[in-house]
Short mmCIF file of all heavy atoms in Angstrom, two decimals:
data_model
loop_
_atom_site.label_atom_id
_atom_site.label_comp_id
_atom_site.label_asym_id
_atom_site.label_seq_id
_atom_site.Cartn_x
_atom_site.Cartn_y
_atom_site.Cartn_z
N ASP C 1660 -20.71 26.31 -1.71
CA ASP C 1660 -20.25 26.98 -0.48
C ASP C 1660 -19.57 26.02 0.47
O ASP C 1660 -18.80 26.42 1.34
CB ASP C 1660 -21.44 27.65 0.22
CG ASP C 1660 -22.08 28.72 -0.68
OD1 ASP C 1660 -21.35 29.63 -1.10
OD2 ASP C 1660 -23.28 28.61 -0.98
N LEU C 1661 -19.90 24.73 0.34
CA LEU C 1661 -19.33 23.70 1.21
C LEU C 1661 -19.37 22.40 0.44
O LEU C 1661 -20.31 22.16 -0.33
CB LEU C 1661 -20.17 23.59 2.51
CG LEU C 1661 -19.78 22.52 3.54
CD1 LEU C 1661 -18.42 22.84 4.15
CD2 LEU C 1661 -20.84 22.46 4.66
N LEU C 1662 -18.34 21.57 0.62
CA LEU C 1662 -18.31 20.27 -0.08
C LEU C 1662 -18.29 19.15 0.95
O LEU C 1662 -17.44 19.13 1.84
CB LEU C 1662 -17.06 20.19 -0.97
CG LEU C 1662 -16.73 18.82 -1.56
CD1 LEU C 1662 -17.86 18.28 -2.44
CD2 LEU C 1662 -15.42 18.86 -2.35
N LEU C 1663 -19.23 18.23 0.80
CA LEU C 1663 -19.25 17.04 1.64
C LEU C 1663 -18.97 15.83 0.77
O LEU C 1663 -19.72 15.56 -0.17
CB LEU C 1663 -20.60 16.87 2.34
CG LEU C 1663 -21.10 18.03 3.19
CD1 LEU C 1663 -22.43 17.66 3.86
CD2 LEU C 1663 -20.07 18.40 4.26
N LEU C 1664 -17.90 15.12 1.08
CA LEU C 1664 -17.61 13.87 0.38
C LEU C 1664 -17.98 12.72 1.29
O LEU C 1664 -17.88 12.84 2.51
CB LEU C 1664 -16.12 13.77 0.07
CG LEU C 1664 -15.57 14.83 -0.88
CD1 LEU C 1664 -14.50 15.65 -0.18
CD2 LEU C 1664 -14.98 14.14 -2.11
N THR C 1665 -18.42 11.61 0.71
CA THR C 1665 -18.59 10.43 1.55
C THR C 1665 -17.83 9.27 0.93
O THR C 1665 -17.81 9.11 -0.29
CB THR C 1665 -20.06 9.99 1.75
OG1 THR C 1665 -20.43 9.11 0.67
CG2 THR C 1665 -21.00 11.17 1.78
N GLY C 1666 -17.22 8.49 1.83
CA GLY C 1666 -16.45 7.33 1.40
C GLY C 1666 -15.03 7.70 1.01
O GLY C 1666 -14.70 8.88 0.84
N GLY C 1667 -14.19 6.67 0.93
CA GLY C 1667 -12.85 6.86 0.40
C GLY C 1667 -11.87 7.58 1.33
O GLY C 1667 -10.86 8.11 0.87
N VAL C 1668 -12.18 7.63 2.63
CA VAL C 1668 -11.25 8.29 3.55
C VAL C 1668 -10.60 7.31 4.54
O VAL C 1668 -9.89 7.72 5.44
CB VAL C 1668 -11.92 9.44 4.34
CG1 VAL C 1668 -12.18 10.63 3.44
CG2 VAL C 1668 -13.19 8.98 5.03
N SER C 1669 -10.83 5.99 4.36
CA SER C 1669 -10.22 5.01 5.26
C SER C 1669 -8.83 4.64 4.76
O SER C 1669 -8.25 5.34 3.93
CB SER C 1669 -11.10 3.77 5.37
OG SER C 1669 -12.40 4.14 5.71
N MET C 1670 -8.32 3.52 5.22
CA MET C 1670 -6.94 3.13 4.92
C MET C 1670 -6.84 2.20 3.71
O MET C 1670 -5.75 1.73 3.37
CB MET C 1670 -6.32 2.45 6.14
CG MET C 1670 -6.13 3.39 7.32
SD MET C 1670 -5.06 4.79 6.92
CE MET C 1670 -3.47 3.96 6.91
N GLY C 1671 -7.95 1.93 3.05
CA GLY C 1671 -7.91 0.99 1.93
C GLY C 1671 -7.12 1.51 0.73
O GLY C 1671 -6.92 2.72 0.59
N ARG C 1672 -6.72 0.62 -0.13
CA ARG C 1672 -5.90 0.99 -1.28
C ARG C 1672 -6.64 1.92 -2.23
O ARG C 1672 -6.04 2.69 -2.96
CB ARG C 1672 -5.51 -0.29 -2.02
CG ARG C 1672 -4.46 -0.07 -3.07
CD ARG C 1672 -4.07 -1.40 -3.68
NE ARG C 1672 -3.64 -2.33 -2.62
CZ ARG C 1672 -2.77 -3.31 -2.83
NH1 ARG C 1672 -2.22 -3.48 -4.00
NH2 ARG C 1672 -2.44 -4.12 -1.86
N TYR C 1673 -7.98 1.84 -2.23
CA TYR C 1673 -8.76 2.68 -3.15
C TYR C 1673 -9.45 3.85 -2.44
O TYR C 1673 -10.36 4.46 -2.97
CB TYR C 1673 -9.77 1.81 -3.91
CG TYR C 1673 -9.06 0.76 -4.71
CD1 TYR C 1673 -8.95 -0.55 -4.24
CD2 TYR C 1673 -8.43 1.10 -5.91
CE1 TYR C 1673 -8.25 -1.50 -4.95
CE2 TYR C 1673 -7.72 0.14 -6.61
CZ TYR C 1673 -7.63 -1.16 -6.13
OH TYR C 1673 -6.93 -2.09 -6.83
N ASP C 1674 -8.97 4.12 -1.23
CA ASP C 1674 -9.48 5.30 -0.52
C ASP C 1674 -8.63 6.50 -0.91
O ASP C 1674 -7.57 6.75 -0.34
CB ASP C 1674 -9.46 5.06 1.00
CG ASP C 1674 -10.49 4.03 1.41
OD1 ASP C 1674 -11.56 3.98 0.76
OD2 ASP C 1674 -10.25 3.28 2.37
N LEU C 1675 -9.10 7.21 -1.93
CA LEU C 1675 -8.24 8.20 -2.61
C LEU C 1675 -8.63 9.65 -2.35
O LEU C 1675 -8.05 10.56 -2.94
CB LEU C 1675 -8.30 7.93 -4.12
CG LEU C 1675 -7.84 6.53 -4.53
CD1 LEU C 1675 -8.14 6.30 -6.01
CD2 LEU C 1675 -6.36 6.35 -4.25
N VAL C 1676 -9.62 9.84 -1.48
CA VAL C 1676 -10.15 11.19 -1.30
C VAL C 1676 -9.09 12.18 -0.79
O VAL C 1676 -8.91 13.26 -1.34
CB VAL C 1676 -11.39 11.17 -0.37
CG1 VAL C 1676 -11.73 12.56 0.15
CG2 VAL C 1676 -12.60 10.60 -1.14
N GLU C 1677 -8.34 11.77 0.24
CA GLU C 1677 -7.33 12.68 0.79
C GLU C 1677 -6.26 12.99 -0.25
O GLU C 1677 -5.81 14.14 -0.37
CB GLU C 1677 -6.67 12.07 2.03
CG GLU C 1677 -7.54 12.21 3.27
CD GLU C 1677 -6.92 11.52 4.47
OE1 GLU C 1677 -5.83 11.96 4.91
OE2 GLU C 1677 -7.50 10.52 4.94
N GLN C 1678 -5.87 11.96 -0.98
CA GLN C 1678 -4.85 12.16 -2.01
C GLN C 1678 -5.32 13.16 -3.07
O GLN C 1678 -4.58 14.06 -3.45
CB GLN C 1678 -4.56 10.80 -2.65
CG GLN C 1678 -3.20 10.71 -3.30
CD GLN C 1678 -2.96 9.28 -3.81
OE1 GLN C 1678 -3.32 8.31 -3.15
NE2 GLN C 1678 -2.35 9.16 -4.98
N ALA C 1679 -6.57 12.99 -3.51
CA ALA C 1679 -7.11 13.90 -4.53
C ALA C 1679 -7.18 15.32 -3.99
O ALA C 1679 -6.85 16.28 -4.69
CB ALA C 1679 -8.50 13.42 -4.97
N LEU C 1680 -7.59 15.45 -2.74
CA LEU C 1680 -7.68 16.78 -2.14
C LEU C 1680 -6.29 17.40 -1.98
O LEU C 1680 -6.09 18.59 -2.20
CB LEU C 1680 -8.38 16.71 -0.78
CG LEU C 1680 -9.90 16.48 -0.86
CD1 LEU C 1680 -10.44 15.97 0.48
CD2 LEU C 1680 -10.62 17.78 -1.25
N ALA C 1681 -5.31 16.56 -1.60
CA ALA C 1681 -3.94 17.06 -1.44
C ALA C 1681 -3.42 17.59 -2.77
O ALA C 1681 -2.74 18.61 -2.82
CB ALA C 1681 -3.04 15.95 -0.90
N GLN C 1682 -3.77 16.91 -3.86
CA GLN C 1682 -3.34 17.38 -5.18
C GLN C 1682 -3.95 18.74 -5.53
O GLN C 1682 -3.43 19.47 -6.35
CB GLN C 1682 -3.73 16.35 -6.25
CG GLN C 1682 -2.87 15.10 -6.18
CD GLN C 1682 -3.24 14.08 -7.25
OE1 GLN C 1682 -4.18 14.29 -8.02
NE2 GLN C 1682 -2.51 12.98 -7.28
#
Side-chain angles (χ1 to χ4, degrees):
D1660 298 304
L1661 177 66
L1662 168 60
L1663 304 183
L1664 296 119
T1665 88
V1668 288
S1669 307
M1670 293 301 285
R1672 191 176 305 208
Y1673 300 100
D1674 290 327
L1675 301 171
V1676 164
E1677 281 176 65
Q1678 204 175 320
L1680 286 161
Q1682 288 181 357

